[in-house]
Amino acid sequence: MISVEEALKLILDTTPLLGMEKVDIITALGRVIGENIYSPSDIPPFDNSAMDGYAVKSEDTKGASKNHPAVLTVIEDLPAGYVAKGKIKKGEAIRIMTGAPLPQGADSVVMVEETEASGDKVKIFNEAETNQHIRKAGEDVKKGELVIPQGTVLRPAAIGMLASLKRSFVSVYQRPLVSILCTGDELVDVDGELKAGQIVSSNSYTLASQVNECGGILLLLGIARDRKDELEQKFREGLRADVIISSAGVSVGDYDLVKGVLQDLGMEMKFWKVAMRPGQPLAFGTIGGKPTFGLPGNPVSSMVSFEQFVRPYLLKMQGHTRIFRPVIEAIWQEEFVKKTERKYLVRCMVSKKEGMYIASSTGEQGSGILKSMVLANGLAIFPEEKEVIRAGEKVKVQLLDREAEQQEVAEY
Ligand code: AMP
Ligand code: MG
């Protein structure tokens, strides 16, 4: 039996990086970019007005005031999207809209609120400073600048920036194809008829959702009976994926055949048992170089093992560097008694109270109690050597879901 930390190291030391693919920038949201993006031009590409108003020569407004306005001749009307036909000469102005290119001869923009128009004349009530209300070419991005470095996770702002840089397609790391096989004679798919002794294969659905959440592409292999030939055949089908995941049959029961089948298929077993609860049995190794995770069958063990080991693996493959859930410190709310020698990952609800996080158990912690996982937004981490965690103690909590921190009411 090895520690969670050792298991994680063994797994992540062997994680390969997937190749790149070119995708359109809408599809690229949330993906990791595989190239450095330099700007081919200045953004904005030209000096332009930051206001609706008048483009002027600042020297023409010297001494202007409410009582003694400067009076200029308006020679043109310039909306955004067009270039001025004329050039401003002494005593002239061009009416200009936000985003329109600064006309030649102008060095300043006066906002419309500080003016009064009548006929082809405009009164300017304030002195204009040189360069006021002008957005300079390149003030956002300079030509040649590294704007989005390789390895960046693409968020909406980056997608918009790529569009500004005229990049409709970019290279991102590929998504892994992940096969999922649930094993057990007792299992029936969700719409199947449940005979005596049978249960629905809920793991098929939690695991598929977890893979989806990490950006994997699903290769669903369905359910295999606890029979060597059937398991072997299904696993062989799964080998065309980048990552193979199975659930159940990996413990020490009479019908736990998964480990043996994986070994028959040539699996190089890296480890089998991890000192954690839930989720002790977990076979990890490679078959012909393909990473294979034999997860435990109990619904919460399967989910929590996926969280700890498969999720970081899938994220790392896709070029992510922040591959772990955030861990916060919270005040534990009630006494919890545990056995030593195993790390406990306790399903809990974290909330904020007077600027502090507090956490309490979401109920029964048996590895088959999925309900307490449904209610949980975190896993409290109780170290191996601890026997009792007392109310009021500070504990570390892995946040599974930031949804719980979203607010019902806007706050500024
Ligand atoms: P096993 O590791 O095969 O002994 O399974 C451990 C427990 O997990 C048993 O109670 C199984 O019935 C249950 N189990 C196994 N596979 C699934 C599954 N796909 N969905 C829900 N429960 C499962
Ligand atoms: Mg079984």
Side-chain angles (χ1 to χ4, degrees):
M1 195 143 77
I2 64 173
S3 70
V4 175
E5 292 85 342
E6 287 169 310
L8 206 48
K9 186 169 182 338
L10 281 170
I11 288 171
L12 295 176
D13 276 355
T14 63
T15 312
L17 204 52
L18 292 170
M20 312 279 184
E21 62 179 333
K22 280 230 158 183
V23 298
D24 71 89
I25 54 176
I26 296 277
T27 305
L29 181 67
R31 306 280 290 273
V32 179
I33 193 160
E35 57 177 321
N36 282 323
I37 302 290
Y38 295 93
S39 179
S41 55
D42 279 346
I43 299 178
F46 44 82
D47 292 357
N48 67 92
S49 178
M51 291 284 174
D52 296 327
Y54 291 86
V56 299
K57 284 184 181 300
S58 55
E59 62 189 31
D60 286 349
T61 67
K62 277 264 157 56
S65 69
K66 188 80 204 158
N67 293 328
H68 299 285
V71 180
L72 303 176
T73 305
V74 181
I75 59 165
E76 210 178 304
D77 211 23
L78 184 61
Y82 300 90
V83 176
K85 291 182 219 64
K87 184 175 165 183
I88 293 177
K89 295 190 290 293
K90 195 166 170 39
E92 292 179 344
I94 285 180
R95 184 160 164 76
I96 193 167
M97 299 300 128
T98 306
L102 193 71
Q104 282 185 48
D107 67 354
S108 185
V109 170
V110 180
M111 53 202 259
V112 72
E113 292 85 343
E114 295 177 2
T115 67
E116 194 183 294
S118 69
D120 69 342
K121 301 288 179 200
V122 63
K123 289 179 184 164
I124 310 281
F125 295 115
N126 284 313
E127 263 189 30
E129 277 175 39
T130 313
N131 285 328
Q132 82 178 14
H133 306 315
I134 293 171
R135 301 191 287 218
K136 288 289 187 186
E139 76 171 22
D140 186 358
V141 174
K142 293 257 179 308
K143 181 177 177 177
E145 183 180 335
L146 174 60
V147 193
I148 303 175
Q150 173 166 17
T152 303
V153 181
L154 297 173
R155 300 291 167 215
I159 303 294
M161 178 60 80
L162 287 167
S164 290
L165 303 176
K166 298 197 59 59
R167 288 296 303 267
S168 49
F169 282 81
V170 284
S171 283
V172 295
Y173 287 97
Q174 287 169 12
R175 302 163 61 194
L177 182 63
V178 183
S179 65
I180 299 177
L181 176 63
C182 285
T183 76
D185 280 355
E186 74 278 35
L187 302 178
V188 176
D189 202 355
V190 60
D191 289 323
E193 190 196 337
L194 282 174
K195 303 213 179 69
Q198 295 185 321
I199 60 166
V200 173
S201 174
S202 58
N203 292 357
S204 302
Y205 293 86
T206 45
L207 286 171
S209 307
Q210 288 180 294
V211 169
N212 273 336
E213 255 192 1
C214 309
I217 300 167
L218 293 168
L219 175 60
L220 297 174
L221 300 173
I223 296 165
R225 314 276 121 218
D226 291 317
R227 284 178 36 194
K228 258 188 108 193
D229 53 349
E230 194 170 327
L231 284 165
E232 223 175 277
Q233 184 229 322
K234 291 270 189 187
F235 270 117
R236 275 189 207 285
E237 267 179 60
L239 282 176
R240 71 184 175 90
D242 298 301
V243 178
I244 298 105
I245 300 174
S246 69
S247 118
V250 79
S251 196
V252 292
D254 289 347
Y255 301 94
D256 289 338
L257 306 175
V258 167
K259 202 168 137 245
V261 168
L262 290 174
Q263 274 164 335
D264 289 349
L265 287 169
M267 170 139 139
E268 199 185 306
M269 190 80 69
K270 294 273 182 357
F271 60 82
W272 175 42
K273 281 183 168 179
V274 183
M276 65 185 245
R277 186 169 173 161
Q280 184 208 58
L282 189 158
F284 173 73
T286 51
I287 304 177
K290 291 282 170 77
T292 307
F293 294 85
L295 302 181
N298 277 304
V300 181
S301 306
S302 153
M303 276 197 86
V304 171
S305 304
F306 183 103
E307 266 295 325
Q308 304 313 306
F309 304 113
V310 188
R311 180 177 183 274
Y313 193 96
L314 296 181
L315 293 179
K316 190 172 175 190
M317 289 184 102
Q318 297 172 82
H320 287 271
T321 48
R322 295 180 183 193
I323 57 177
F324 302 111
R325 296 284 191 190
V327 172
I328 51 112
E329 204 171 61
I331 313 288
W332 189 249
Q333 297 298 296
E334 71 265 302
E335 185 164 293
F336 188 97
V337 179
K338 69 182 272 295
K339 296 200 179 90
T340 56
E341 279 153 32
R342 286 215 238 158
K343 198 189 285 306
Y344 277 43
L345 297 167
V346 174
R347 283 148 262 172
C348 65
M349 174 52 81
V350 179
S351 54
K352 262 190 196 152
K353 197 176 163 192
E354 288 151 18
M356 301 278 288
Y357 285 112
I358 59 170
S360 40
S361 158
T362 50
E364 283 298 319
Q365 295 289 323
S367 55
I369 309 292
L370 193 54
K371 192 172 66 187
S372 51
M373 191 68 181
V374 173
L375 296 170
N377 64 358
L379 293 172
I381 307 165
F382 294 160
E384 289 81 341
E385 67 281 1
K386 280 280 237 184
E387 276 183 75
V388 185
I389 293 83
R390 298 211 158 74
E393 255 186 70
K394 275 190 181 159
V395 298
K396 282 185 180 177
V397 182
Q398 230 177 56
L399 290 182
L400 296 177
D401 184 1
R402 300 220 88 135
E403 180 74 26
E405 287 181 282
Q406 302 262 110
Q407 308 206 135
E408 284 173 20
V409 178
E411 185 184 314
Y412 296 97

